[in-house]
Amino acid sequence: MKNIVKYSIYFFIGIVLFGACTPEKYELGDIDIAPGQIVEGVSYKIEHDASNPNIIYLTSLVDAKYTPLWEHPQGRSQDKKVTLNIPFPGEYKVKFGVETRGGIVYGEPATFKVEDMYAEFISDETWTLLAGGAGEEKTWYLDLDQNGLSRVFKGPLYFYGTGDWWGNVNQQGKPLNSDSWLWDPTWKENTWLMPAGDYGEMTFNLKGGANIIVNHNMLGREQKDPL
């Protein structure tokens, strides 16, 4: 009886080990679309609005089984149709691709032109507060200097809950969920948050485009990017 139990245990352990060591195979599906097929006018189209050419429509023409992937002047999107509001004249680039069962495939970038400026798109109060308005710029500083001084707020960092957003912070809307709270620590009592220092500045401008220039003084480098 003991031998039967012993061999049964060995047999059970062998099955477990063999099953644990058996490799599982995962395979992607086929990539059934080639980069050469992803071209403007065939798999997607770029159109100017008939009444306002500064409004651009990007429309996917591929089958619904593919997820469209856009890289455009105002970010990224996976929507079938994307609307861009471009205030400044210039030549802009769009890159379109699709997500297939076998992976992601992109085509060559396409370009479109905007001939004139349309200031209405940057007349919102947010643009004025951020950059001073069309043709202007504003420079922003972290509210903490090398001496540990915060001039406007209690410190350079505020912390909010996952239910908080711009609307309820400005008392113009309700929190997204019940996790709504604020911790606005005084830096001198919480110096562990970050070291004091000259962190540089950020300049937002609306001169020929929406741009940001960041002086990373602590890192010794400057960064320039379109918004």
Side-chain angles (χ1 to χ4, degrees), residues 66-87:
Y66 301 112
T67 300
L69 304 172
W70 300 97
E71 295 181 8
H72 53 74
Q74 296 180 339
R76 300 187 180 195
S77 176
Q78 296 183 3
D79 296 326
K80 179 177 176 61
K81 188 168 184 176
V82 178
T83 300
L84 305 178
N85 294 329
I86 307 291

Side-chain angles (χ1 to χ4, degrees), residues 87 121-133 205-206 210 227:
F121 287 155
I122 52 174
S123 63
D124 184 89
E125 182 185 23
T126 302
W127 287 105
T128 303
L129 293 174
L130 181 67
N205 75 53
L206 297 173
L227 286 174

Side-chain angles (χ1 to χ4, degrees), residues 103-224:
I104 295 174
V105 181
Y106 277 102
E108 290 295 318
T111 60
F112 66 89
K113 288 185 178 180
V114 173
E115 300 293 341
D116 301 304
M117 181 174 177
Y118 188 69
E120 186 68 24
F121 287 155
I122 52 174
S123 63
D124 184 89
E125 182 185 23
T126 302
W127 287 105
T128 303
L129 293 174
L130 181 67
E136 302 295 334
E137 69 178 25
K138 275 189 178 182
T139 299
W140 297 78
Y141 299 88
L142 183 70
D143 197 18
L144 179 72
D145 66 14
Q146 59 268 37
N147 299 314
L149 177 64
S150 295
R151 292 176 170 80
V152 179
F153 303 98
K154 294 181 180 179
L157 298 176
Y158 277 27
F159 300 85
Y160 290 88
T162 60
D164 294 301
W165 63 291
W166 185 252
N168 80 278
V169 169
N170 286 301
Q171 299 180 345
Q172 295 179 354
K174 295 181 179 180
L176 301 177
N177 57 55
S178 59
D179 184 31
S180 175
W181 50 268
L182 165 64
W183 181 46
D184 52 345
T186 301
W187 182 83
K188 290 183 179 180
E189 298 171 359
N190 299 275
T191 57
W192 56 270
L193 288 170
M194 61 188 303
D198 179 5
Y199 283 86
E201 68 275 343
M202 296 187 300
T203 299
F204 297 91
N205 75 53
L206 297 173
K207 298 179 177 180
N211 308 293
I212 178 172
I213 303 170
V214 183
N215 173 24
H216 298 278
N217 196 54
M218 300 281 277
L219 303 177
R221 61 184 176 86
E222 186 178 82
Q223 177 183 350
K224 298 180 180 180

